[in-house]
Amino acid sequence: MDTRGTVRRGSCLSLLVLAAGLLAAGPAAADTVWWEGEHVQETNFPKQTSFSASTFPAGVNPLSGGRWLTNEGERTGDEAHALYRIEVPADGKYRCWARKFWKHGPFRWRFDDDEWRVCSRDVQLMDSYEVRQYLHVNWVYLGTVRLTAGRHDFELRLLADRGQHLTACFDAFFLTSDDTLVPGGAERPRPREGEPGPADWFPVAFYEDEFSEESVIDVSHLVEAPAGTYGFLKQEGDHLRFEKADGPVQFWGCGANYQSTSRADMTQRARYLRKHGVSMVRQHPLQSAIGLLRQDGTFDPGRLDAWDWWFAELKKHGIYMTWSLFYPHRIQRSEGYDLFDELSGRGDVRSTSGLVNIEPALQDSEWRWAEAILLHTNPYTGLRYVDEPALAVVEVHNEDCIFWHAPLNILQEGEQFPRHTARLKARWAAWLKQRYGSDEGLRAAWGAGLRPGDSVDNPNMDIYGAWQMAAGGPQVGDTVRPAERRRVGDLIRFLAELQRGYYEKRMARLREIGFKAVTMTTAWRAGGPAADPANLWCDIAGDMVSRHNYFGGGVGGHDIRVGRVNNASHMPQPGGGILSIGMYQPENRAFCSTEWNSNLPNQWKLEIAPLVAFYGIGLQGWDASYHFLNARNRIGNGWPGQRSYVTDTPHYIGQFPALAFAIYNKHITPAPIAAARRIEEDDLFQGIDPLSQDFTGGGYDAKELKGNLATPKELLAVGRITAAFEGGQSELTDVDAYWDKSGKVVRSMTGELTWDYGRELVTLTAPRTQAIIGRTGGRPIELPGLTATITTPFVSVIFTPLDNAELAESKRILITALAQDKQTGAEYNADGSQLLEMGRPPLLMEPVQATIRFKGAAPQEVNVLDVYGVPTGRKVEVNADGSFRIDGTYATYYYEVKR
C-alpha cells in the first residue's frame, strides 16, 4: 500500500553505544552511536518500494539490519522526510556517516534545530557493495557536528535528483568521536583493542584537515599566491618560464575536476591541495564542467558562475590551471554538420571523437565553443580568460588523434562511418595526385607495393588501420609487407599533414584572440609504431608535449574488483612502465605528463610518485606532472570509492609534500643529454618506426632500423633522452660508463640516482633530499646524510631537510616512511596476482620498521606526527649513539627530526 503523505511512527530506536580507547594515543575514550535507517521515529517514506530488501536476489542482503528505509517516485506536494531520535553518550565533536544507495537521493540533514546541511549527488563514495545491477550500498561522510550528551533529533529531507526523482535508500547512520575510526561494510566499527606491535599494520582515518599551524608537512608557502603573480607562463625552448621570472619553473600537480559541492568544501579542497604542494591542476574536460553552448551562443549561467568562482578560488590559493577542453567535443544538430547523423550517439547531440581530427567542420565547432569561454570575463577575477595569467595551459582535446585505433581502424573498415571513410579516401587520392601527378608517378614511387586498383584517380583505394602500421612495414593479417612501406608511408604523411594542419590552425586562432600562455595538442600516442614518431611531429605544433601512461590495476579496469591483479613493480625495469613516456620528450619543446598512475590494487604503487618526481621531473627535466586524479577535499578512507586511480591516498598525496619540497627547491640535478635522436622529417614517412621505440602496445621495439640505433629504455635512468625531426647529428653518451649490465645497476649522469634493478632498489643521494625506494633486503643502506637498516620488505622512505640545508647539516628533517597498504580484511594470494577479498575501510598501513642514524649532530628529539603532519606529543626514543628506531608502535608514516 502506498503510504506517501502519511506519517509512520515507531518506538524509539534501539542504540548501540561503543566506547574504546583511541589507537596508540593514550587513555581518552571514544564515543560512538549507530542507528538503523529503518528504525525511524517519524517518516512519510512508503513501506515498500522496488528497492526494498524483499526485492533483492536470493541469498543477497548486505544491509546491516536486513532492511532499509526506501523511497522512489516523483516529487509530490509533501517533502519526503525521516526523523530519528538518538541518545548521545557524551559532549563532544562527532563525525557523521550515512550508509545509503550510491549517489542517488541527495538530501539535506540536521540535528535538532541546527542549520540544514546538504549531502549532494557529488558526494564521495567510500566503499561499495553491489546488490544487483545498478543498485549499490555505499558509506558516505556527511560532516562534523558538535553534540551534547543526551537525546537529539536527526532529520533528513530528500532533494530532487536530476528532475523530480526522489529515489533514496538509507541502511544505517554512524557517529564517532574517534578520528581513527571509520565505518566499512555492514559491520559496526569497533576501535582496535590493545597496543600495536612493531610489525602490526595500523589503521588510518581521514577527516577535514583543520590546517594547524603546527603541521610539519604543510608546504603551502612554496605555492606562492595568488597565481599569476609573475605574468603569463611561456615556453622557452625545452622549458617553461613565467614572463616576469628569472628562471625556469616546474609544476607538481594533479587532475582536479570541478565538482558541484558547497563553496566551503571547494575552498577546503583548494587549501588541501596547496598544503600538499600542488601548484597546477588540470580540468578534464572543461566542456563537462560548464556544458554546451546554448542556441544564443551563451553558456548556462548557473554552471558558468560556479566554474568562474572555482577558478578564482584556485587562483587565490596560488594554483594554476590547465584546461583540457574536450573529451570528446559534442556537436549539436543545430550547427548544421552535413554528416551529423553518422556521428556516434543518439538524439541532437553527438560525439566528434576521432573524426574531429580530419573534418574541418567539426574542428570549427570545437573552436566556437573554445572561443566563447576564452573570451568570457570571469566576474570573480575581472579578467577574460585569454587575459588570465592563472590559466597556464590550454590543451586542444584529450586523448584523441587520427593515428589511434579509433578512428583509424574504424575508418579503414568503413562500416560505422561510411561517408566519412569515403570522404577521407577521396582526399587521399587527391593528395596523391597532387604529389605524384599521374599513375606513372605513383607506380614509380610505390613499385611492388602497388595494390590492385591503386590509382590517383581512384577515390576508394584501400587505407591502413592503426594496428597495421607496424615497426618494420605494414602488417596485413599475420604478415608484414616490406614492399608496401612507401605506400603506408605516404598514408602516414597524408594523415600527419591533416593532423598537424588542424593543430597549427588552432594555435593560430588562440593567438589571434589574445591567448598568451602555453598550448598543447593532445596527450595521445599512435596505435602503430610506424606512425608514432609522425604523431609526435604533429604534437610539436603546440608549445608543450604531453603523454599519458598507466600501470598496474586489475580485472576491474577503472574500479577495484576481486580477481586478477596486474601486480608488477617498476623496480626490475629501469626506465620502463610509466617512465617510458620520457622517450617522447622533444628537443625544443616543453614536456609533461598530464595523466599517470600506478593503479590500485597493485601492491607496489607507493614506488611511482617518487620515481616520477626524481627521474621524470628531476633527472629528465619534465616541466610538469599531473597525477590522475584528485576528487576530494581530503585524503579518502580505505581504497577511496574503490576506484583504480585516486590521488587522495597516502601513497600519492601523502608523499606530495616531500616531493614538492624537493622539486620547488631544485634538490635533484637535471641530467645532460644521454641520447639525442635527430632525424630528418622525411624519415617519419618511410613506413617504418625510425626511432625504434614501440610503446604502443606496452612493449619495446629495440632493434636497428634504417641505421638508427634504438635507444634502450634504461637510458632514461641515466640522463635525458630527446627526439627532433630537423636533421643534425644524433648524440649518445657512453652507455657502459653508467650501466653495469652484469651487475644490473644503472647510475645517473649526475651521480645522484642509482637504480639497482637486480636488487630492486632505487636510492637518491643528492646533498639535500635523500631517499630509499624499493627492496632493501634488510641490509644497511648508506646515504650521504644517514645510514638506515630497513627490515620492511618494500618501502618508500624520503628524508626532507625542511630548512633546505644539506641533509647532513639540517636541523629539522621530515621523514616520510611508507610501505604497503590494504583495506581491512583485504586478502591477496601469495604472489599478489589475485585479489581474493576486497575488504572494507579503514585503510591499513604496513609500518616501516627501520633503524636510522643521521650523520652529523644527533637528534634532540624525534616527534611522531599524525596524518595531517601535526605532532601528536609522542616521541621516538633516541639512543646514546644518535640512532633511533621507527616501527608500527607509533602508527604513523610521518616523523619530524629536530637536532
Side-chain angles (χ1 to χ4, degrees):
M1 179 177 67
D2 186 357
T3 59
R4 186 177 301 280
T6 66
V7 174
R8 240 178 36 244
R9 296 181 182 272
S11 60
C12 189
L13 73 155
S14 60
L15 302 177
L16 175 70
V17 180
L18 305 170
L22 287 171
L23 288 171
D31 297 299
T32 66
V33 184
W34 176 288
W35 67 100
E36 293 290 336
E38 66 272 18
H39 293 170
V40 65
Q41 181 77 12
E42 184 177 302
T43 189
N44 62 355
F45 281 40
K47 290 183 178 180
Q48 179 73 21
T49 71
S50 61
F51 300 102
S52 296
S54 59
T55 69
F56 294 177
V60 175
N61 192 327
L63 305 180
S64 59
R67 296 183 295 131
W68 58 352
L69 183 71
T70 67
N71 191 76
E72 65 181 332
E74 302 291 319
R75 179 188 290 275
T76 64
D78 294 327
E79 194 171 15
H81 66 274
L83 177 71
Y84 300 87
R85 190 151 292 152
I86 67 170
E87 292 287 338
V88 174
D91 296 358
K93 179 179 73 174
Y94 289 85
R95 310 296 191 176
C96 188
W97 294 83
R99 193 169 192 242
K100 60 187 290 286
F101 173 17
W102 196 63
K103 297 183 179 184
H104 291 300
F107 62 97
R108 55 188 180 130
W109 62 276
R110 68 179 180 181
F111 282 93
D112 304 317
D113 293 323
D114 291 348
E115 292 291 323
W116 289 101
R117 302 197 213 180
V118 173
C119 176
S120 73
R121 186 180 177 87
D122 279 337
V123 69
Q124 296 297 330
L125 307 175
M126 189 175 69
D127 64 353
S128 183
Y129 187 98
E130 185 173 14
V131 178
R132 60 176 185 246
Q133 190 174 23
Y134 309 125
L135 179 58
H136 293 75
V137 188
N138 308 84
W139 277 105
V140 299
Y141 175 59
L142 299 183
T144 300
V145 294
R146 291 192 176 274
L147 298 171
T148 58
R151 180 170 294 181
H152 291 271
D153 287 344
F154 175 79
E155 184 179 5
L156 65 85
R157 293 180 179 269
L158 296 186
L159 302 172
D161 185 10
R162 297 189 174 182
Q164 298 298 311
H165 296 293
L166 292 175
T167 297
C169 308
F170 298 95
D171 178 35
F173 301 88
F174 179 62
L175 288 174
T176 179
S177 65
D178 183 349
D179 275 0
T180 69
L181 200 61
V182 295
E187 298 182 14
R188 300 171 179 180
R190 290 172 170 80
R192 183 174 178 175
E193 296 180 359
E195 294 295 321
D200 289 346
W201 292 47
F202 58 92
V204 287
F206 304 93
Y207 290 99
E208 300 98 329
D209 194 331
E210 296 179 356
F211 301 111
S212 168
E213 293 183 358
E214 297 181 15
S215 176
V216 176
I217 68 168
D218 187 345
V219 294
S220 59
H221 62 285
L222 297 176
V223 182
E224 190 170 352
T229 299
Y230 296 101
F232 293 95
L233 188 66
K234 301 288 187 178
Q235 173 235 340
E236 275 192 356
D238 59 6
H239 62 262
L240 300 175
R241 185 180 68 84
F242 288 115
E243 58 184 352
K244 299 177 184 177
D246 293 332
V249 62
Q250 292 172 299
F251 296 91
W252 185 256
C254 58
N257 293 339
Y258 170 77
Q259 294 170 319
S260 57
T261 55
S262 71
R263 290 190 172 179
D265 284 346
M266 298 298 275
T267 296
Q268 178 82 6
R269 186 181 181 192
R271 294 186 68 188
Y272 156 73
L273 291 171
R274 185 185 182 201
K275 172 182 176 175
H276 287 84
V278 170
S279 56
M280 176 89 81
V281 298
R282 175 175 178 256
Q283 169 64 39
H284 160 59
L286 181 60
Q287 191 174 71
S288 291
I290 61 178
L292 303 179
L293 280 172
R294 301 187 299 183
Q295 294 302 310
D296 62 358
T298 64
F299 297 101
D300 177 272
R303 294 177 70 174
L304 185 58
D305 182 73
W307 170 258
D308 288 337
W309 183 89
W310 171 233
F311 183 97
E313 191 69 5
L314 286 170
K315 177 181 179 178
K316 183 171 72 176
H317 288 86
I319 300 175
Y320 291 83
M321 258 211 177
T322 292
W323 284 1
S324 172
L325 295 177
F326 311 106
Y327 187 52
H329 172 57
R330 294 176 295 152
I331 188 172
Q332 302 176 76
R333 186 183 298 274
S334 59
E335 296 181 61
Y337 178 55
D338 61 335
L339 303 183
F340 181 86
D341 288 332
E342 199 171 86
L343 299 177
S344 298
R346 296 180 180 179
D348 293 332
V349 179
R350 302 286 178 91
S351 167
T352 64
S353 178
L355 301 175
V356 70
N357 298 290
I358 58 172
E359 287 292 336
L362 299 181
Q363 297 162 16
D364 290 343
S365 175
E366 272 190 343
W367 177 245
R368 283 190 291 273
W369 190 96
E371 183 181 34
I373 188 60
L374 287 166
L375 294 180
H376 163 70
T377 298
N378 183 336
Y380 298 98
T381 63
L383 295 173
R384 300 184 308 167
Y385 281 112
V386 290
D387 302 320
E388 174 57 78
L391 176 56
V393 184
V394 167
E395 179 184 14
V396 172
H397 55 211
N398 179 70
E399 292 186 356
D400 195 353
C401 70
I402 187 57
F403 293 110
W404 187 241
H405 300 290
L408 197 50
N409 294 352
I410 300 170
L411 288 166
Q412 186 247 355
E413 292 163 1
E415 295 179 3
Q416 185 174 341
F417 307 121
R419 289 184 291 168
H420 286 89
T421 295
R423 184 179 285 177
L424 179 66
K425 287 183 173 182
R427 292 169 73 183
W428 187 35
W431 182 89
L432 289 169
K433 189 164 189 173
Q434 183 177 18
R435 182 173 179 81
Y436 294 115
S438 66
D439 285 349
E440 289 74 17
L442 185 66
R443 190 176 302 110
W446 289 3
L450 207 70
R451 289 186 177 186
D454 282 351
S455 168
V456 296
D457 296 316
N458 180 7
N460 194 33
M461 281 189 295
D462 294 338
I463 59 175
Y464 299 94
W467 69 274
Q468 294 181 289
M469 295 175 176
Q475 183 170 336
V476 180
D478 295 329
T479 304
V480 173
R481 296 183 179 179
E484 292 187 20
R485 285 178 178 176
R486 288 293 303 275
R487 188 180 192 278
V488 73
D490 273 345
L491 180 64
I492 291 171
R493 188 191 294 267
F494 162 69
L495 294 174
E497 289 178 1
L498 286 180
Q499 181 88 71
R500 181 152 172 162
Y502 157 39
Y503 291 153
E504 289 176 340
K505 182 178 180 181
R506 180 61 48 85
M507 304 311 158
R509 281 176 156 176
L510 285 166
R511 300 307 181 200
E512 285 168 4
I513 66 168
F515 181 71
K516 304 170 184 66
V518 173
T519 62
M520 286 195 306
T521 58
T522 190
W524 212 220
R525 59 186 65 167
D532 213 29
N535 186 57
L536 178 58
W537 174 79
C538 295
D539 290 329
I540 61 176
D543 298 323
M544 182 160 65
V545 169
S546 175
R547 285 295 181 266
H548 296 171
N549 214 357
Y550 290 89
F551 194 81
V555 69
H558 299 315
D559 299 308
I560 304 169
R561 293 283 185 266
V562 169
R564 176 183 52 79
V565 177
N566 301 324
N567 207 36
S569 164
H570 284 77
M571 286 298 140
Q573 45 177 329
I578 288 171
L579 295 178
S580 67
I581 57 176
M583 290 288 186
Y584 291 97
Q585 188 165 10
E587 190 164 278
N588 293 305
R589 293 291 187 276
F591 184 78
C592 70
S593 177
T594 44
E595 291 183 25
W596 59 267
N597 187 50
S598 188
N599 294 359
L600 280 159
N602 182 285
Q603 293 178 293
W604 322 116
K605 65 186 184 302
L606 62 90
E607 68 192 3
I608 190 56
L611 290 180
V612 169
F614 300 155
Y615 282 95
I617 298 288
L619 190 74
Q620 292 289 322
W622 299 354
D623 299 281
S625 160
Y626 309 70
H627 181 257
F628 195 78
L629 172 72
N630 158 260
R632 292 163 178 78
N633 60 12
R634 58 186 170 85
I635 294 181
N637 285 295
W639 288 333
Q642 296 175 7
R643 296 285 286 173
S644 295
Y645 22 69
V646 181
T647 299
D648 311 301
T649 69
H651 282 173
Y652 288 109
I653 205 164
Q655 298 191 84
F656 277 18
L659 302 177
F661 193 95
I663 291 165
Y664 299 149
N665 286 300
K666 303 187 184 305
H667 286 189
I668 300 104
T669 305
I673 293 289
R677 290 88 48 80
R678 299 183 180 115
I679 61 177
E680 300 288 345
E681 188 176 300
D682 274 352
D683 292 335
L684 299 170
F685 310 119
Q686 302 305 310
I688 60 172
D689 174 8
L691 296 179
S692 301
Q693 59 170 51
D694 176 15
F695 292 104
T696 56
Y700 192 76
D701 171 30
K703 61 169 79 70
E704 191 171 340
L705 289 173
K706 203 177 184 296
N708 292 297
L709 182 66
T711 306
K713 64 182 184 299
E714 287 80 3
L715 256 64
L716 289 164
V718 171
R720 190 173 187 184
I721 297 177
T722 60
F725 311 119
E726 298 174 354
Q729 183 65 42
S730 293
E731 297 179 32
L732 182 65
T733 192
D734 180 1
V735 177
D736 292 336
Y738 303 101
W739 183 8
D740 178 356
K741 297 183 179 68
S742 60
K744 296 186 176 180
V745 175
V746 182
R747 293 179 176 83
S748 69
M749 297 172 76
T750 63
E752 294 178 349
L753 283 158
T754 300
W755 194 318
D756 186 336
Y757 59 101
R759 192 173 170 184
E760 300 188 15
L761 178 69
V762 165
T763 54
L764 172 65
T765 56
R768 292 181 285 176
T769 292
Q770 296 172 25
I772 300 166
I773 315 296
R775 304 182 188 277
T776 69
R779 290 179 281 175
I781 303 293
E782 190 85 12
L783 301 179
L786 65 117
T787 301
T789 303
I790 302 172
T791 56
T792 308
F794 195 93
V795 300
S796 169
V797 185
I798 306 170
F799 303 93
T800 305
L802 294 173
D803 53 8
N804 215 24
E806 291 193 4
L807 193 66
E809 304 298 326
S810 177
K811 304 298 184 185
R812 187 165 175 250
I813 300 166
L814 169 67
I815 302 177
T816 305
L818 285 158
Q820 293 184 69
D821 71 10
K822 64 179 180 180
Q823 293 201 121
T824 301
E827 292 184 17
Y828 293 83
N829 67 348
D831 65 1
S833 62
Q834 293 285 323
L835 180 63
L836 306 177
E837 296 289 343
M838 176 76 71
R840 63 187 184 282
L843 189 69
L844 297 179
M845 304 295 300
E846 181 183 20
V848 172
Q849 301 180 74
T851 299
I852 300 167
R853 187 175 184 274
F854 284 101
K855 298 175 182 178
Q860 294 179 352
E861 60 184 23
V862 178
N863 295 315
V864 177
L865 310 179
D866 66 15
V867 295
Y868 310 105
V870 178
T872 64
R874 298 189 67 192
K875 297 183 186 299
V876 179
E877 181 181 355
V878 179
N879 300 318
D881 66 352
S883 68
F884 58 92
R885 182 167 179 79
I886 60 175
D887 58 35
T889 61
Y890 301 107
T892 188
Y893 48 86
Y894 290 135
Y895 301 86
E896 177 194 32
V897 177
K898 290 184 176 181
R899 55 182 185 170

